[in-house]
Every structure is written in C-alpha cells, then in structure tokens.
Amino acid sequence: MPTRLLLISDTHIPGRARTLPDAVRREADASDLIIHAGDWVSVSVLDDLERHGEVLGVFGNNDGDDLRGRLPEYVERTIDGVRVGVVHETGDAKSREKRMTQRHPALDVLVFGHSHIPWDTTTDSGLRLLNPGSPTDRRRQPHHTLMTAIADGGALRDVTLVEL
C-alpha cells in the first residue's frame, strides 16, 4: 500500500513564526508519515506534528537539549520499500552529490534541511537528495515551501514542491 509523505524542515518556531502554518497541518493530516529534517527550535512543534500523525525527524543545529533528547541527529527507515535517510546538514552544495553518495551508499533517498533552499536532484548512483525548504522562513527564496511524495513498492514518486 502506498505511503503518503510530508517533508518539511527548518520551521524555526517561534523565531520565524509563532506556529505552524495551517497548510502544514492540512498536509500532515493527509499524510501517512511526516518527515522533519531539523531546526524545529521549539519542542512544541514536534508535539504539534505528533498530534497530526507519525513523525520521523532529526534535530538540527538550532535545536536545544529538549529536542536532542527526543530525536537523533540522523535516522534511516525503509518506507514501503524505499530506503530513506534524514539528516539536517549535508554541507556545501558544490560537492553535495558526491559526498552524500559516498556517505550513504545504501539509501534511495536522503531528506535534508539547513539551507532553506528547496533541492531535488538524483546522483549518478541513483541517490535522490531532497530538501523541502522551509514553511516558515523562506530566507532568499520567493516562497515558503514543503514537499509531498509517495513511497510505493520500492519507488518514490509524485515528489511535489508545494509553495505556501
């Protein structure tokens, strides 16, 4: 059975917004699994998302001991046959594909954050790198964003960047 995914990162609440946008909550309610790639900032964001569904997440560089006590720095899970890793930082974009291919040779997909810049590339080895941007802090991007996707029978399909 296909698994609908919500991918978000870098919510920075309450620094960049007081609460999650309603659009994030709607997508969370419509998803089977919520993946958050760090920089929640407030543990209340994790608690909020857990009320909407199952959460797979990691802590980021701006997250304190409360979140670090509940979340790992890196996590892997096979979701409907798709091997997914989640991490906050991947380093410089210039050599990201090569570094992540070497670091995560067994993955199909790596979800990451930190830059607030949406990213969707596939390396020569077939590793798909996804950064959903931020639903609350667009920085130099034209829109706040998140991603949705479907894991289905070992394939990731229908990856969509949603502008808020």
Side-chain angles (χ1 to χ4, degrees):
M1 182 165 177
T3 304
R4 181 172 164 77
L5 306 173
L6 167 60
L7 312 177
I8 61 173
S9 188
D10 297 287
T11 45
H12 290 273
I13 291 172
R16 299 295 182 213
R18 291 178 190 248
T19 187
L20 287 170
D22 289 339
V24 171
R25 289 191 182 98
R26 282 192 301 273
E27 290 291 349
D29 288 338
S31 298
D32 300 306
L33 181 63
I34 303 157
I35 298 176
H36 193 301
D39 274 3
W40 313 68
V41 179
S42 173
V43 74
S44 67
V45 179
L46 175 57
D47 294 336
D48 186 356
L49 286 174
E50 286 179 332
R51 286 190 288 274
H52 294 272
E54 182 182 0
V55 176
L56 180 67
V58 297
F59 67 79
N61 60 298
N62 284 297
D63 295 326
D65 290 341
D66 53 353
L67 285 156
R68 290 169 188 253
R70 290 177 60 183
L71 299 167
E73 184 175 14
Y74 173 77
V75 67
E76 285 183 19
R77 182 183 295 177
T78 299
I79 305 165
D80 203 352
V82 180
R83 295 165 301 181
V84 177
V86 185
V87 69
H88 184 62
E89 294 187 56
T90 59
D92 183 50
K94 194 173 210 174
S95 57
R96 177 178 291 138
E97 291 182 9
K98 181 178 179 181
R99 277 192 329 277
M100 294 305 104
T101 295
Q102 292 171 346
R103 193 170 296 158
H104 304 285
L107 292 182
D108 298 311
V109 177
L110 181 66
V111 179
F112 67 98
H114 190 61
S115 69
H116 300 220
I117 300 170
W119 183 284
D120 182 355
T121 60
T122 302
T123 69
D124 291 341
S125 71
L127 173 62
R128 190 149 185 195
L129 301 171
L130 297 174
N131 183 329
S134 172
T136 55
D137 184 10
R138 61 186 177 87
R139 289 199 181 158
R140 296 170 301 279
Q141 301 305 301
H143 304 282
H144 297 105
T145 57
L146 57 84
M147 283 181 174
T148 60
I150 304 288
D152 186 10
L156 190 70
R157 61 178 173 82
D158 301 338
V159 176
T160 304
L161 180 67
V162 178
E163 296 175 348
L164 306 181

